């Protein structure tokens, strides 16, 4: 079902359109309506919209300005324009923006609206077929990674399976996998191909017998987020431990790669996934070559004190090692420097605040422990490629 949003400042026109045709028969869901362009952009930020039918002449942001912004944010959205004016410049601009059709409100009828919707659906189906699969995979991977940290946890779950059974009532748990350090080749391309092979094996066997989602962080760590109850009906700690061991053995048999594995217990709510991930990180056996105890403690400290002025010296003092040693082992085991790790996490949280709150930039900087908002904006632009305000307005 394709989601439709109608943007029209006259309520009577919106009502007339809503009851003019049977939208569901065209595989279209009347998802949302807005009375102006600004309201429509707010809805687009929160809802998954595929088709926008918008009036051209509206107070404030008009339909053409709205369409320009929509195309900049998401070029795959199908646009349909409405207007009371049979005006050639409007038609010309609609064509430039790639509109599906330009409907003249005083003369349009049920058949014309239906044909336009059918054309929009056909356009969307072609677009989805042409979309590179890796782009969708990267989007889902980024979303699943955002679930792992309370500072980046999303306002909306975009993977519908997570809102269904068995996740909804039985809970979730997760497992982390890494190639043991002494099994790494030291050649980046070789290690990357090995990593992809491991991920494919885990994904194939986990999804086939238990279920869940397999994703990765920077091609260094594989995370398996699973329902508490397997597709086969298995449940309980004993069953989970046995299945994880089975996965470990399968990877070793097929690829001759030893893995370091750590699991969480079951958590009843999706918003507790960050706790599950932290538990898995801290549960890693000390005698296995994963993150060392000191690195795990340093990451835990950063996660718990992200909204403060976190420094390498302060963390090193807390976990009783020298700053230089912590800096060296952190870079080796995590793959980025301690300061880059802190800045990346603060940046991700600031992106969430920019998307989901009305806090001013200086307030966000202050909240993240930056006393100088200009320095915060500079760091943000270096990592995101745009200023905080540009990111919020995109």
């Amino acid at each position: 079902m394709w989601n439709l949003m109608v943007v029209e400042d006259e309520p009577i026109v919106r009502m007339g359109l809503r009851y003019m045709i049977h939208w569901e028969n065209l595989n279209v869901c009347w998802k949302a309506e807005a009375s102006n362009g600004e309201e429509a952009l707010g809805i687009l930020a929160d809802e998954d919209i595929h088709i926008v039918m918008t009036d051209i002449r509206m107070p404030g942001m008009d339909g053409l300005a709205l369409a320009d912004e929509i195309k900049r944010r998401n070029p795959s959205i199908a646009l349909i324009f409405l207007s009371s004016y049979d005006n050639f410049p409007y038609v010309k601009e609609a064509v430039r923006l790639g509109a599906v059709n330009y409907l003249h409100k005083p003369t349009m009828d049920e058949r014309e609206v239906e044909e336009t919707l059918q054309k929009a659906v056909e356009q969307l189906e072609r677009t989805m077929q042409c979309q590179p699969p890796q782009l969708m995979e990267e989007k889902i991977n980024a979303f699943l990674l955002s679930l792992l940290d309370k500072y980046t946890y999303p306002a909306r779950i975009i993977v519908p399976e997570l809102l269904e059974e068995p996740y909804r009532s039985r809970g979730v748990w997760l497992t982390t996998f890494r190639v043991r350090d002494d099994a790494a080749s030291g050649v980046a391309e070789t290690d990357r191909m090995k990593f992809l092979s491991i991920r494919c094996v885990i994904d194939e066997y986990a999804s086939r017998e238990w279920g869940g989602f397999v994703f990765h962080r920077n091609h260094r760590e594989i995370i398996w987020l699973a329902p508490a109850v397997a597709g086969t009906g298995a449940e309980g700690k004993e069953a989970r431990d046995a299945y994880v061991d089975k996965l470990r053995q399968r990877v070793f048999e097929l690829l001759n790669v030893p893995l370091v594995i750590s699991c969480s217990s079951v958590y009843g709510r999706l918003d507790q996934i960050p706790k599950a991930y932290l538990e898995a990180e801290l549960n890693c056996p000390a005698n296995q070559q994963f993150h060392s105890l000191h690195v795990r403690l340093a990451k835990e400290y950063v996660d718990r004190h992200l909204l403060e002025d976190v420094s390498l010296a302060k963390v090193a003092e807390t976990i009783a090692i020298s700053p230089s040693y912590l800096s060296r082992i952190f870079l080796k085991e995590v793959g980025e420097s301690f300061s880059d790790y802190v800045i990346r996490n603060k940046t991700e949280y600031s992106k969430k605040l920019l998307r989901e709150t009305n806090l001013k930039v200086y307030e966000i900087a202050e909240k993240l422990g930056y006393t100088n908002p200009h320095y915060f904006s500079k760091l943000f632009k270096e990592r995101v490629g745009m200023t905080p305000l540009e990111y919020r307005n995109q």
Side-chain angles (χ1 to χ4, degrees):
M1 192 74 75
W2 302 100
N3 294 332
L4 167 77
M5 175 170 65
V6 173
V7 189
E8 166 63 62
D9 60 319
E10 298 181 50
I12 193 168
V13 176
R14 296 201 303 269
M15 184 180 297
L17 270 172
R18 182 159 197 167
Y19 297 104
M20 177 183 281
I21 62 175
H22 296 289
W23 302 92
E24 292 78 8
N25 293 345
L26 300 170
N27 202 29
V28 173
C29 168
W30 183 292
K31 185 72 173 179
E33 52 186 75
S35 58
N36 56 62
E38 290 84 357
E39 185 182 348
L41 290 177
I43 292 171
L44 283 168
D46 295 328
E47 300 286 351
D48 193 15
I49 301 295
H50 308 110
I51 305 170
V52 172
M53 183 181 288
T54 179
D55 192 7
I56 289 184
R57 301 272 304 258
M58 295 183 294
M61 177 184 282
D62 66 19
L64 295 176
L66 170 64
D68 257 328
E69 184 62 22
I70 288 172
K71 283 299 181 184
R72 192 175 71 81
R73 294 188 185 193
N74 188 349
S76 66
I77 289 178
L79 294 172
I80 300 168
F81 286 112
L82 304 168
S83 181
S84 299
Y85 304 90
D86 197 3
N87 187 305
F88 178 72
Y90 283 166
V91 176
K92 185 177 178 181
E93 186 65 6
V95 170
R96 182 189 74 79
L97 290 165
V100 175
N101 203 357
Y102 179 97
L103 298 174
H104 186 221
K105 285 195 283 188
T107 61
M108 70 182 184
D109 57 18
E110 178 182 336
R111 181 179 176 184
E112 187 178 11
V113 175
E114 287 183 346
E115 288 176 350
T116 298
L117 264 294
Q118 288 171 347
K119 187 177 177 183
V121 167
E122 289 169 3
Q123 176 180 306
L124 286 165
E125 289 173 345
R126 287 195 303 272
T127 302
M128 291 302 125
Q129 288 172 357
C130 294
Q131 187 172 12
Q134 65 269 25
L135 292 183
M136 185 58 68
E137 182 180 329
E138 288 172 8
K139 181 180 178 182
I140 297 299
N141 195 89
F143 166 75
L144 292 170
L145 281 175
S146 73
L147 297 174
L148 302 181
D149 193 304
K150 66 179 181 180
Y151 296 109
T152 59
Y153 193 88
R156 185 167 62 93
I157 301 296
I158 66 170
V159 178
E161 292 87 348
L162 283 171
L163 300 174
E164 300 170 357
E165 295 296 347
Y167 302 96
R168 187 172 61 203
S169 62
R170 307 301 292 273
V172 296
W173 61 294
L174 61 77
T175 304
T176 60
F177 305 84
R178 281 209 178 197
V179 177
R180 214 169 63 197
D181 284 351
D182 58 2
S185 69
V187 180
E189 188 59 31
T190 301
D191 284 344
R192 182 183 173 88
M193 294 306 297
K194 182 189 293 182
F195 182 92
L196 291 173
S197 300
I198 296 165
R199 185 183 165 205
C200 284
V201 171
I202 293 172
D203 196 7
E204 179 185 351
Y205 283 91
S207 60
R208 185 167 65 189
E209 298 183 26
W210 193 290
F213 300 88
V214 176
F215 51 107
H216 70 92
R217 187 190 293 281
N218 298 330
H219 294 94
R220 293 175 65 87
E221 179 182 44
I222 297 169
I223 303 102
W224 175 35
L225 177 64
V229 181
T232 59
E235 60 180 309
K237 187 177 187 309
E238 195 173 303
R240 297 195 303 272
D241 289 347
Y243 195 78
V244 168
D245 191 56
K246 181 180 176 182
L247 283 176
R248 180 189 59 76
Q249 291 179 35
R250 181 63 66 183
V251 170
F252 191 77
E253 289 167 4
L254 293 176
L255 303 173
N256 195 32
V257 176
L259 294 178
V260 177
I261 297 174
S262 183
C263 304
S264 78
S265 50
V266 171
Y267 286 77
R269 302 194 315 270
L270 292 181
D271 62 5
Q272 292 176 310
I273 290 175
K275 292 182 179 180
Y277 180 62
L278 182 59
E279 181 191 349
E281 291 275 274
L282 295 175
N283 277 350
C284 185
N287 62 345
Q288 296 195 43
Q289 295 187 50
F290 194 60
H291 284 336
S292 66
L293 175 62
H294 287 129
V295 169
R296 298 206 307 272
L297 291 173
K299 289 180 67 178
E300 181 190 12
Y301 184 93
V302 172
D303 292 343
R304 294 190 186 281
H305 299 83
L306 189 66
L307 303 186
E308 302 171 15
D309 181 16
V310 181
S311 69
L312 177 70
K314 185 183 296 183
V315 176
E317 181 182 0
T318 303
I319 62 177
I321 61 172
S322 73
S324 60
Y325 178 67
L326 175 59
S327 175
R328 190 164 62 252
I329 62 171
F330 199 96
L331 177 62
K332 177 184 176 184
E333 297 184 25
V334 180
E336 61 184 332
S337 70
F338 177 84
S339 61
D340 282 342
Y341 178 81
V342 173
I343 292 170
R344 177 170 59 80
N345 278 275
K346 284 180 180 283
T347 302
E348 288 302 314
Y349 185 45
S350 69
K351 286 162 68 177
K352 177 182 171 71
L353 293 175
L354 287 164
R355 288 193 308 267
E356 299 174 10
T357 74
N358 294 319
L359 290 173
K360 293 179 169 44
V361 173
Y362 77 86
E363 292 174 322
I364 292 175
E366 189 177 275
K367 189 176 182 68
L368 287 163
Y370 292 108
T371 55
N372 186 338
H374 298 295
Y375 177 64
F376 161 69
S377 295
K378 177 175 177 289
L379 290 176
F380 188 95
K381 187 171 184 178
E382 285 176 356
R383 281 154 180 79
V384 183
M386 61 184 80
T387 66
L389 280 177
E390 289 171 340
Y391 179 83
R392 168 172 275 167
N393 295 328
Q394 69 175 336

